[in-house]
Amino acid sequence: MAPGMRVLLVTHPEVTIDPAVPVPDWGLSARGRERMAAFCARPEAASIGHVFVSSERKARDGADMLHERHGCPVTIDPRLGENDRSATGYVAPPRFWEIVDRFFAEPETSVLGWERAVDAQARIKAAVRDCIAAHGDRVGDVCIVSHGGVGTLLLCDLLGAPISRDRDQPVAGGGCFFAFDGSAWVLEHGWRDIVPSASDR
């Protein structure tokens, strides 16, 4: 692993919600594509050397946009997927957010059959470490295009903090990123909106 390897964990932005379509097959909405295009134009994106992405369509849509803009290779890793919620399928808000609260508050419990938070955290951590190793000494930063839930779990691990929804991304529709040193496993900065703002400077 290259010393000081920078890793960006990016969550997909807004999606087209369709209860008739399995959640992993939802794609980015027009608004989501607009915001992802803003991320592709950021200086951080120009430094990406390899994109690793969840197999879920909404994440792949974002990775494809990075590839189209910068030509970086894209590798799919299903382990980068969101916490497994197939036991319930689509659940509409506000009930969905009530279940999410329990998911984070009871990390060692399978809430309504969902993947346990501790298991999802171990999975995303192992997957990201393998992605970093696969990139090796190649030029450029590593970009992980994934999801808000598992992104929050990874952030908690990087901070050495207990699993908590208090660390959740600040944009409700998704579309945030954080950066860390993949070699030292040390956070560089926490969640930022993928759309640049004055506070990023």
Side-chain angles (χ1 to χ4, degrees):
M1 184 185 300
M5 180 182 291
R6 192 180 199 217
V7 183
L8 305 176
L9 186 291
V10 183
T11 68
H12 66 80
E14 292 87 344
V15 301
T16 299
I17 297 174
D18 185 350
V21 174
V23 176
D25 295 331
W26 289 355
L28 293 183
S29 66
R31 174 61 176 156
R33 287 186 172 277
E34 178 184 334
R35 293 185 62 233
M36 192 66 198
F39 178 76
C40 291
R42 293 183 72 119
E44 295 96 326
S47 300
I48 293 170
H50 198 144
V51 177
F52 295 87
V53 62
S54 155
S55 58
E56 298 185 40
R57 181 184 165 193
K58 46 190 171 283
R60 289 188 285 109
D61 284 352
D64 288 345
M65 291 177 70
L66 283 165
H67 171 73
E68 290 164 9
R69 176 70 182 259
H70 298 290
C72 40
V74 175
T75 300
I76 296 173
D77 188 333
R79 296 176 301 160
L80 298 173
E82 186 59 289
N83 58 301
D84 185 352
R85 306 192 295 260
S86 57
T88 59
Y90 173 70
V91 179
R95 177 58 174 155
F96 173 76
W97 295 115
E98 294 171 358
I99 304 171
V100 169
D101 285 341
R102 286 190 60 196
F103 169 80
F104 282 103
E106 305 169 31
E108 297 189 5
T109 300
S110 175
V111 180
L112 299 182
W114 283 16
E115 180 181 19
R116 299 188 310 164
V118 289
D119 296 330
Q121 184 182 58
R123 168 174 57 80
I124 190 70
K125 181 178 178 180
V128 169
R129 285 196 180 278
D130 286 348
C131 292
I132 293 168
H135 183 65
D137 296 329
R138 296 177 181 86
V139 174
D141 298 335
V142 171
C143 180
I144 309 291
V145 183
S146 187
H147 308 267
V150 290
T152 299
L153 295 174
L154 184 68
L155 181 62
C156 290
D157 184 83
L158 284 160
L159 292 168
I163 290 174
S164 170
R165 198 178 173 200
D166 290 344
R167 309 288 184 178
D168 201 0
Q169 59 183 346
V171 178
C176 295
F177 76 104
F178 59 79
F180 64 98
D181 183 327
S183 304
W185 207 252
V186 173
L187 190 68
E188 178 183 323
H189 67 73
W191 290 119
R192 291 179 179 174
D193 193 323
I194 57 175
V195 179
S197 68
S199 63
D200 294 345
R201 301 184 191 127

